[in-house]
Amino acid sequence: MIQREVLPNGVRIVTENISYVQSVALGIWVGVGARDESDKLRGVSHVIEHMLFKGTPSRTAQQIADEIDTVGGDINAFTSKENTCYHVRVLSEHVPLALDILTDMFLNSSFDAEELGREKNVILEEIKQRDDEPDDLVHDLFAEVTWPGHVLGKSVIGTPETVSSFNSDDLRSYIKNCYTPDTIVISAAGNLNHDEIVAYVASKFGDLTGSISDWRAADTTPEFQPGQIYVEKPIEQVNLVMGVPGVSQLSDEKYALSILDNVLGGSMSSRLFQEIREKRGLAYSVGTYAQSYQEGGYFAFYSGTGAATAEQVIDLIKAECVNIRKNGVTEKELQRSKNQFRGGIVMGQESMNSRMMRMGRNELNYGRVLPIQEIMDKINAVTVSDIASLSERLFAKEEFSMATVGPAPGSVTESDEDEEETEE
């Protein structure tokens, strides 16, 4: 059973007691991320995420790691464009310790200047790693060219210039402005006691004050721009992402888009996987994904293929968009996708971490945890006609934004030239 409590200052607590397991997943969520950063603070949410592991007045960074490892738990965090999450998973008997460590990190981090200097170097290396991995870089580039000028088009990781510029006061100021009670959700799933967690959270978080509305800029819908960006790298494959406008996380159309995603490229039986990989052998990786935020979204196609075949892959993707817009999906495809969606949800419920993540995201996005049955009812209500209407809106203009990383599409790579000389 999912239980929910809201403290007088607005901090929310959602838990789900699963009595037949022996572990608990805990998360402290903050409904802020890269979309809340100014140009000068680009990447600060991600830097704060790193720094919360670097010590408090009562624990060093080493002690934080040691205390979790000693009880066989694991602790981690992530930053996205709309939220940040600090999470831990432990055996049920160690919930008090896990709560204490997470809370200490969240409320009492020291932001030592020397530690910050070292961690900024770590993040600069992380940026270099991202830039060296074309299958990561291309997705950031696609968002930037698709939504130029909008905060959702900016990278979570920041830039070398902004990351290098941060000092401890920048981090403290951002936390004061953004880590406010109305943005904080504590979620937990597993063999737990709801009342005990609420009592602990109230004792530690109950005195927090402030509101994100005092600082946050108003939401604005990102305007899709069908632009193109190409980054040349001396690698074997063209890594490409191309896409069209999608839907907001708050729109019920996201359920129809989930079906469309599955039919086009979301599984091994999908049209593009079968056509591009299985029938033609043009790519190892090919697929689709829907990226939805509260303010808007996009629907993207991705693939990695040789320079000589990149244009053919692009043409095949465009042709399938035309085909599905004109001819729609079959009842068989629709039912198969619904079954896959249901299977994913049900199997996800077998993981305490997945349950905790779902509750945290739901609370931040919708102000409540959506019941599984409600989600399934909306998925089951999607019709062939719904998919046809959505496809018409998404693909009618046949205008795509595109990002590519690697050799220029249509070019011959150095290795290809060597093979041709050998054959001659």
Side-chain angles (χ1 to χ4, degrees):
M1 179 179 68
I2 294 176
Q3 294 178 271
R4 181 178 187 268
E5 189 86 20
V6 182
L7 301 184
N9 63 353
V11 172
R12 289 164 282 175
I13 305 151
V14 288
T15 72
E16 185 174 18
N17 179 33
I18 312 295
S19 60
Y20 55 81
V21 301
Q22 298 180 20
S23 64
V24 173
L26 294 157
I28 300 179
W29 294 75
V30 191
V32 293
R35 64 92 48 226
D36 297 291
E37 300 166 352
S38 65
D39 287 340
K40 290 183 179 180
L41 293 177
R42 193 67 57 208
V44 70
S45 300
H46 179 245
V47 173
I48 289 172
E49 175 219 310
H50 277 240
M51 286 302 298
L52 259 62
F53 288 84
K54 296 305 171 183
T56 71
S58 60
R59 288 182 174 92
T60 65
Q62 181 69 54
Q63 286 172 324
I64 290 172
D66 284 348
E67 287 187 50
I68 291 295
D69 287 347
T70 297
V71 297
D74 58 78
I75 188 169
N76 213 327
F78 64 84
T79 307
S80 69
K81 295 191 178 182
E82 290 186 314
N83 51 61
T84 309
C85 178
Y86 306 90
H87 56 96
V88 62
R89 187 177 55 165
V90 292
L91 297 178
S92 302
E93 62 200 82
H94 301 306
V95 167
L97 174 65
L99 268 174
D100 187 60
I101 292 173
L102 270 187
T103 301
D104 190 27
M105 292 166 51
F106 190 83
L107 297 177
N108 305 314
S109 280
S110 301
F111 299 117
D112 177 77
E114 188 175 337
E115 285 281 6
L116 177 58
R118 283 193 291 268
E119 202 59 28
K120 288 196 295 186
N121 288 333
V122 170
I123 295 171
L124 292 175
E125 292 301 318
E126 187 178 354
I127 292 174
K128 293 175 185 176
Q129 179 176 304
R130 187 277 312 267
D131 291 345
D132 283 345
E133 296 179 352
D135 53 341
D136 284 342
L137 175 61
V138 70
H139 296 283
D140 278 353
L141 293 174
F142 176 77
E144 290 176 12
V145 74
T146 296
W147 289 334
H150 195 280
V151 288
L152 286 175
K154 306 299 182 181
S155 170
V156 170
I157 203 171
T159 69
E161 295 74 23
T162 56
V163 170
S164 298
S165 72
F166 297 145
N167 58 45
S168 298
D169 287 339
D170 292 327
L171 275 56
R172 293 189 184 100
S173 177
Y174 187 81
I175 284 179
K176 181 180 178 181
N177 288 327
C178 296
Y179 279 38
T180 52
D182 51 341
T183 69
I184 297 172
V185 171
I186 287 82
S187 63
N191 195 334
L192 53 81
N193 184 297
H194 173 80
D195 292 336
E196 290 178 358
I197 290 177
V198 169
Y200 183 88
V201 172
S203 71
K204 299 294 184 178
F205 289 79
D207 293 333
L208 293 181
T209 60
S211 171
I212 188 68
S213 61
D214 296 335
W215 186 85
R216 171 180 275 170
D219 292 351
T220 56
T221 302
E223 183 179 350
F224 179 86
Q225 298 289 333
Q228 295 188 11
I229 185 170
Y230 162 62
V231 174
E232 184 173 4
K233 285 187 176 290
I235 54 180
E236 293 296 320
Q237 281 194 319
V238 176
N239 294 263
L240 67 92
V241 177
M242 54 191 290
V244 296
V247 303
S248 163
Q249 183 68 31
L250 303 179
S251 168
D252 273 355
E253 276 194 308
K254 66 178 178 287
Y255 298 108
L257 186 58
S258 295
I259 300 294
L260 181 62
D261 177 18
N262 187 275
V263 170
L264 279 173
S267 67
M268 291 180 66
S269 61
S270 66
R271 294 186 181 188
L272 291 174
F273 190 94
Q274 288 296 314
E275 183 67 27
I276 292 174
R277 174 170 164 164
E278 298 299 285
K279 292 182 181 179
R280 299 174 184 262
L282 297 177
Y284 175 76
S285 296
V286 59
T288 58
Y289 64 95
Q291 190 67 67
S292 295
Y293 305 103
Q294 293 192 31
E295 296 169 72
Y298 56 76
F299 182 66
F301 305 81
Y302 68 90
S303 185
T305 188
T309 55
E311 293 291 354
Q312 185 181 358
V313 169
I314 292 169
D315 288 343
L316 287 168
I317 290 172
K318 290 181 176 179
E320 191 51 58
C321 290
V322 172
N323 178 39
I324 206 163
R325 177 171 63 86
K326 291 183 175 179
N327 302 313
V329 301
T330 65
E331 285 288 350
K332 181 179 179 181
E333 287 176 318
L334 179 65
Q335 191 56 51
R336 184 188 66 212
S337 296
K338 289 180 178 181
N339 290 338
Q340 289 177 325
F341 192 94
R342 178 176 179 272
I345 288 182
V346 172
M347 287 187 282
Q349 290 294 98
E350 296 178 0
S351 162
M352 296 305 103
N353 206 52
S354 293
R355 285 176 181 255
M356 181 274 291
M357 294 282 182
R358 190 180 82 84
M359 290 191 299
R361 288 195 179 97
N362 275 203
E363 185 62 44
L364 288 174
N365 283 331
Y366 314 114
R368 66 188 182 98
V369 178
L370 302 182
I372 296 294
Q373 191 57 53
E374 178 181 330
I375 296 172
M376 287 311 307
D377 287 345
K378 290 185 176 182
I379 281 289
N380 287 331
V382 175
T383 64
V384 168
S385 177
D386 293 331
I387 303 298
S389 297
L390 181 61
S391 299
E392 177 64 29
R393 183 165 66 79
L394 297 188
F395 305 133
K397 293 183 178 180
E398 298 184 26
E399 292 181 336
F400 293 84
S401 183
M402 185 181 301
T404 59
V405 177
S411 66
V412 179
T413 65
E414 185 176 340
S415 62
D416 290 335
E417 290 174 350
D418 292 342
E419 288 175 2
E420 289 172 359
E421 290 174 358
T422 302
E423 289 171 355
E424 290 175 355

